[in-house]
Amino acid sequence: SSYFSAVDGCIGRVDWSTQRVETITKIDAQVRGLALAGSHLVAACADGTVRVVDPTTLDVTRIQVTDFRLKVVRTVPNAGTPTVLLGGDSGELLMFDLEKRDVSSRIRNGEEWVRDCLFNTAGDALFTADDDGRVRAWARSQDKFALTAEASHSHRVWCLALDEGSSRLFSAGNDSVIRVWETASLKQLNLYEGDGSWIRTMSLRQD
């Protein structure tokens, strides 16, 4: 398996044998997120572009997708062609077909920044988090999305995580609280209070 990282305009490949990151390309924009789609690495950038990198040849293709700042990129599961979901400061989510280089679908999540989004294991549900403190659940049918549930924090939500079976959703943000939700209804199951600091990212260990 290959692992990649991004810092500002540098995209690197992680070499576990040397425990170092090798820079594979530099681009003229701030990279805000990375995803693998098909055989390519896709970087979402703050200038509204995606950069599609061939990890073998290191060729980089620049595609102007939108005029708003991108923050999140996720691979869309079970899509007919390599497709990514893009989000950023407009409150809109874009389904972007990499082969056609075109937006195939748009989702209006709200008016605030989309900070994170996740698909469940089956790919038929999407979860989003944003600056207005909302956590939303969407049902997916091909390129169509329908809002099915909504819940909230008291402040901005930075990050989401799903358990292995996609039955529980975890969310956290500026209120220093991790909330646990049932994915089907977004009914709150539990709450873990932090030390008052913002929670910007989290990861689950699957036991």
Side-chain angles (χ1 to χ4, degrees), residues 5-204:
S5 65
V7 178
D8 293 327
C10 296
I11 299 175
R13 180 187 285 115
V14 180
D15 186 334
W16 294 113
S17 63
T18 61
Q19 297 185 342
R20 300 189 67 179
V21 178
E22 169 199 8
T23 298
I24 61 173
T25 190
K26 294 182 179 180
I27 60 177
D28 58 346
Q30 186 181 36
V31 178
R32 306 300 295 271
L34 292 174
L36 285 167
S39 60
H40 290 83
L41 180 67
V42 182
C45 301
D47 62 356
T49 66
V50 295
R51 311 301 173 97
V52 184
V53 183
D54 185 319
T56 303
T57 65
L58 303 185
D59 291 336
V60 181
T61 302
R62 181 186 187 275
I63 306 171
Q64 187 72 47
V65 178
T66 183
D67 58 0
F68 64 80
R69 290 175 291 175
L70 297 175
K71 168 69 172 66
V72 182
V73 56
R74 294 285 182 262
T75 305
V76 178
N78 304 322
T81 57
T83 302
V84 292
L85 184 70
L86 301 164
D89 68 357
S90 77
E92 194 171 43
L93 290 161
L94 309 176
M95 290 263 288
F96 189 78
D97 186 316
L98 293 168
E99 287 189 0
K100 297 178 180 178
R101 299 191 181 186
D102 192 24
V103 175
S104 60
S105 182
R106 297 173 183 267
I107 309 164
R108 191 68 207 175
N109 184 74
E111 301 300 324
E112 303 294 333
W113 271 82
V114 178
R115 293 292 175 177
D116 202 1
C117 59
L118 290 176
F119 285 97
N120 67 349
T121 305
D124 58 5
L126 171 70
F127 304 94
T128 60
D130 48 46
D131 272 8
D132 66 3
R134 301 292 182 179
V135 176
R136 294 180 172 93
W138 306 79
R140 174 191 171 207
S141 176
Q142 296 182 336
D143 288 351
K144 305 295 184 183
F145 292 82
L147 182 65
T148 58
E150 186 174 305
S152 63
H153 283 246
S154 59
H155 296 284
R156 172 185 296 164
V157 183
W158 279 103
C159 54
L160 300 171
L162 280 167
D163 69 357
E164 191 171 15
S166 295
S167 62
R168 291 179 299 165
L169 176 72
F170 298 75
S171 61
N174 284 11
D175 58 3
S176 191
V177 170
I178 298 174
R179 298 181 188 272
V180 187
W181 315 93
E182 179 190 41
T183 53
S185 63
L186 290 188
K187 175 184 176 182
Q188 184 170 303
L189 302 175
N190 216 330
L191 180 150
Y192 302 96
E193 295 187 2
D195 61 2
S197 304
W198 294 0
I199 302 174
R200 298 287 296 267
T201 186
M202 61 180 165
S203 180
L204 299 184

